[in-house]
């Protein structure tokens, strides 16, 4: 199984809801590191799992959508606590919809919110 990974860093703001989360109940910023991992068993005719330029284009568009934004104000977070778990799922499903490489059997987003804290979400493709 081959794995290709691409990373991006960005800053976004949020505040947690539905509990007593201390300082996280108030608007605060996080320096996120998003790692996108793509897996597949076969390479294309050029020896690539996927066109990395195409992947980077979609990744940059998604990161740009959230960079310097308040996550609580984004419609995809309506009714949700903007946790890194929810955020990793939203990022993974969004990127899965955009990246059309046929060789990819699994897409995974690992989202770091802090040097000691991350969450991940994987999408298996048929």
């Amino acid at each position: 199984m081959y794995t290709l990974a691409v990373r991006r860093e960005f800053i976004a703001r949020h505040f947690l809801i539905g509990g007593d989360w201390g300082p996280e109940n108030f608007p605060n910023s996080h320096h996120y590191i998003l790692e996108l991992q793509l897996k597949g068993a076969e390479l294309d005719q050029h020896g690539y799992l996927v066109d990395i330029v195409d992947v980077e284009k979609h990744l940059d568009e998604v990161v740009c959508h959230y960079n310097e934004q308040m996550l609580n104000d984004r419609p995809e977070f309506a009714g949700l606590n903007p946790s890194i778990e929810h955020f990793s799922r939203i990022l993974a499903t969004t990127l899965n919809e955009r990246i059309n490489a046929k060789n990819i059997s699994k897409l995974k987003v690992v989202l770091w919110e802090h040097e000691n804290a991350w969450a991940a979400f994987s999408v298996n493709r048929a």
Side-chain angles (χ1 to χ4, degrees):
M1 184 73 66
Y2 297 96
T3 303
L4 176 82
V6 182
R7 291 172 54 145
R8 290 294 185 270
E9 297 183 28
F10 64 101
I11 295 172
R13 297 176 51 76
H14 76 160
F15 57 91
L16 299 180
I17 58 174
D20 183 6
W21 314 115
E24 289 287 321
N25 284 119
F26 303 97
N28 64 89
S29 296
H30 288 284
H31 179 176
Y32 291 100
I33 299 173
L34 186 167
E35 180 177 305
L36 171 63
Q37 299 176 11
L38 302 168
K39 296 185 181 210
E42 303 204 13
L43 303 179
D44 68 12
Q45 69 272 20
H46 305 291
Y48 299 130
L49 180 63
V50 62
D51 179 354
I52 197 167
V53 173
D54 185 58
V55 170
E56 289 182 318
K57 177 188 82 152
H58 294 299
L59 187 56
D60 289 340
E61 290 170 355
V62 170
V63 165
C64 184
H65 179 75
Y66 294 105
N67 192 40
E68 300 293 339
Q69 298 296 308
M70 176 63 78
L71 299 179
N72 302 69
D73 295 340
R74 307 303 309 183
E76 54 270 36
F77 283 97
L80 296 176
N81 204 12
S83 64
I84 55 174
E85 294 88 348
H86 281 306
F87 200 9
S88 65
R89 176 186 50 78
I90 289 167
L91 291 166
T93 56
T94 300
L95 288 162
N96 186 56
E97 292 168 0
R98 292 176 180 225
I99 297 171
N100 295 319
K102 295 177 181 148
N103 295 359
I104 303 302
S105 58
K106 185 175 184 177
L107 180 147
K108 180 179 180 180
V109 164
V110 179
L111 184 64
W112 290 85
E113 181 180 77
H114 183 272
E115 63 186 25
N116 298 329
W118 60 267
F121 191 85
S122 299
V123 177
N124 292 316
R125 293 180 165 191

